[in-house]
Amino acid sequence: MDKPTHLIEFETMLLTRHTHMSARSRGDEGHLDRTSYVLLSRISVEGPMSIRQLSEAFGLDASTLNRKTASLLAVGLLERIADSEGGIARKFRITRAGQSRLTAERDEMVSGLDKVLADWTPAEVTAFAAMLQRFNTSIEDLAGLPWPRP
């Protein structure tokens, strides 16, 4: 690996593999899939969003988002509400059950990260978090798809 970016690519590939393996080891039954987790996270931070807004935020076509939101509606994690701005479009809002499920899964992930980072100093954890945020923000800036942060 002759460039640091080669190492970054390799390590981010491993990171996604480790995340996937962690989900498989705990059993996916009863857990949100990655797309549902990200979609619920976005709506939780940003508030109710229409299909058009979700499409713009994720860079996905409306039919893909219609399928995903339909599955989340069916299990009671999202609900449709009227557009507060008076438009005819409906918006999707996370339900109490959806927020509870998202919070439980996030807590589980944070607990796992606490274990992984147990032998890191607080300064190392803080520095890593800052660099990871900067990395993600750079990606968002290039894509023109900023992610709201709480």
Side-chain angles (χ1 to χ4, degrees):
M1 295 192 189
D2 53 339
K3 289 175 59 176
T5 49
H6 289 144
L7 183 57
I8 292 169
E9 180 281 327
F10 183 78
E11 294 298 334
T12 55
M13 178 273 300
L14 287 177
L15 180 62
T16 59
R17 179 186 177 275
H18 294 316
T19 302
H20 176 73
M21 294 301 289
S22 173
R24 286 183 56 205
S25 70
R26 69 175 191 240
D28 284 334
E29 189 172 316
H31 288 283
L32 295 169
D33 63 78
R34 181 184 133 342
T35 304
S36 296
Y37 184 84
V38 173
L39 186 81
L40 290 173
S41 292
R42 180 66 182 248
I43 293 172
S44 177
V45 170
E46 192 155 326
M49 298 177 75
S50 67
I51 286 290
R52 181 187 56 76
Q53 291 169 317
L54 289 168
S55 179
E56 290 170 2
F58 288 99
L60 296 172
D61 63 271
S63 63
T64 299
L65 288 161
N66 275 318
R67 286 189 300 276
K68 183 43 85 178
T69 55
S71 69
L72 293 170
L73 285 166
V75 295
L77 302 181
L78 281 181
E79 63 186 349
R80 273 194 185 99
I81 61 169
D83 186 344
S84 62
E85 297 168 11
I88 60 169
R90 309 291 271 165
K91 290 192 173 187
F92 296 94
R93 177 173 60 195
I94 193 168
T95 62
R96 281 193 186 130
Q99 188 63 56
S100 177
R101 181 104 169 259
L102 179 63
T103 299
E105 293 214 18
R106 180 164 287 129
D107 289 348
E108 187 177 331
M109 288 185 184
V110 169
S111 177
L113 287 169
D114 287 339
K115 290 175 188 171
V116 169
L117 301 169
D119 64 343
W120 290 36
T121 67
E124 289 172 324
V125 174
T126 300
F128 181 64
M131 294 299 282
L132 196 54
Q133 181 178 0
R134 182 175 176 196
F135 181 76
N136 280 328
T137 302
S138 294
I139 293 169
E140 293 162 16
D141 290 346
L142 282 172
L145 298 170
W147 190 273
R149 287 172 166 78

